[in-house]
Amino acid sequence: MAKVDFKPGNMLYPLPVVLVSVADGKGNDNILTIAWTGTICSDPAMVSISVRKERYSYPMIKETGEFVINLTTEDLAFATDYAGVTSGRDVDKWAKLNLTRVPSDKVAAPYIAESPVAIECKVTEVKELGTHDMFIAEVVALHVDDKYMDEKGAFHLEQAKPLVYSHGKYFAIGKELGKFGYSIKKEK
Ligand SMILES: Cc1cc2nc3c(=O)[nH]c(=O)nc-3n(C[C@H](O)[C@H](O)[C@H](O)COP(=O)(O)O)c2cc1C
């Protein structure tokens, strides 16, 4: 067995793929698909998205310093792809995809009702990296679908059937293999 050497590139997969909703504060809003996203700090809760300058959504994020990350599901797979291969310059993605706007608490961009989790974000820093600008942002509000909450107040994201992106393809997540810390838990 041997490894094949690829030219250095992005191969950190699988990844979450998210629908980012944006607005310009003047009545225009949009949705785009982002895979270059990540959790970067626990406290304060911070995330990043990396966006190419040529995206229609880019100036809305840059000028308002705001966006919402909406998590995706198997049911949202078509919308996730579509929002990533069409531009708000040419099509109203909300209407075309039958997605419902919900006014956010802290940012101008609405969030997507059909998504199980909406993460309202305010940009604290922009890093020009090359092809993409990285928007580093603080989480300012978080909304989760009550249908995935149990009677004890625990949230079961897996019941929403999250979507993942891996090397150009979309996948459903597989079976649970263990809980955080299971590797050192003593058997009863
Ligand atoms: C699976 C997938 C992941 C994507 N990830 C990113 C990304 O991380 N950053 C980015 O700038 N564009 C990304 N795109 C491309 C944009 O979503 C796409 O160019 C979109 O048409 C931009 O929309 P807009 O012009 O309405 O802003 C991705 C597209 C797909 C399908």
Side-chain angles (χ1 to χ4, degrees):
M1 276 245 271
K3 295 272 192 292
V4 176
D5 296 335
F6 278 17
K7 126 173 132 44
N10 290 309
M11 194 57 85
L12 185 63
Y13 292 120
L15 293 172
V17 56
V18 299
L19 287 166
V20 170
S21 42
V22 299
D24 65 2
K26 298 171 202 147
N28 302 303
D29 57 16
N30 190 38
I31 304 168
L32 87 164
T33 302
I34 294 284
W36 291 176
T37 183
T39 297
I40 54 171
C41 186
S42 301
D43 187 11
M46 294 185 76
V47 291
S48 73
I49 58 169
S50 289
V51 184
R52 287 183 185 253
K53 283 194 172 71
E54 55 266 33
R55 307 299 183 225
Y56 174 69
S57 307
Y58 178 93
M60 298 200 197
I61 303 169
K62 187 81 192 273
E63 280 155 31
T64 60
E66 297 177 351
F67 59 90
V68 182
I69 291 178
N70 303 270
L71 298 195
T72 59
T73 63
E74 292 177 32
D75 285 349
L76 288 169
F78 179 92
T80 304
D81 189 62
Y82 186 86
V85 292
T86 56
S87 178
R89 284 184 195 99
D90 313 312
V91 57
D92 176 351
K93 298 186 209 179
W94 293 92
K96 185 81 189 174
L97 294 168
N98 254 322
L99 296 175
T100 315
R101 293 175 178 85
V102 182
S104 289
D105 289 349
K106 301 274 176 65
V107 302
Y111 66 85
I112 301 172
E114 290 75 11
S115 163
V117 176
I119 306 165
E120 295 184 31
C121 303
K122 285 205 179 190
V123 175
T124 56
E125 204 180 322
V126 186
K127 284 194 171 293
E128 293 197 36
L129 300 175
T131 53
H132 292 66
D133 280 9
M134 183 185 201
F135 292 95
I136 293 177
E138 196 164 327
V139 174
V140 292
L142 176 63
H143 312 278
V144 306
D145 231 325
D146 59 4
K147 69 175 173 230
Y148 306 116
M149 303 285 298
D150 67 19
E151 58 292 341
K152 290 184 186 147
F155 178 54
H156 298 277
L157 180 59
E158 71 283 1
Q159 291 173 6
K161 300 189 178 160
L163 189 67
V164 289
Y165 180 69
S166 189
H167 198 41
K169 294 177 185 164
Y170 307 98
F171 293 89
I173 60 171
K175 63 176 195 273
E176 183 183 324
L177 301 177
K179 278 201 173 135
F180 183 98
Y182 86 101
S183 61
I184 56 165
K185 202 164 176 199
K186 297 218 170 55
E187 285 189 25
K188 283 181 193 149

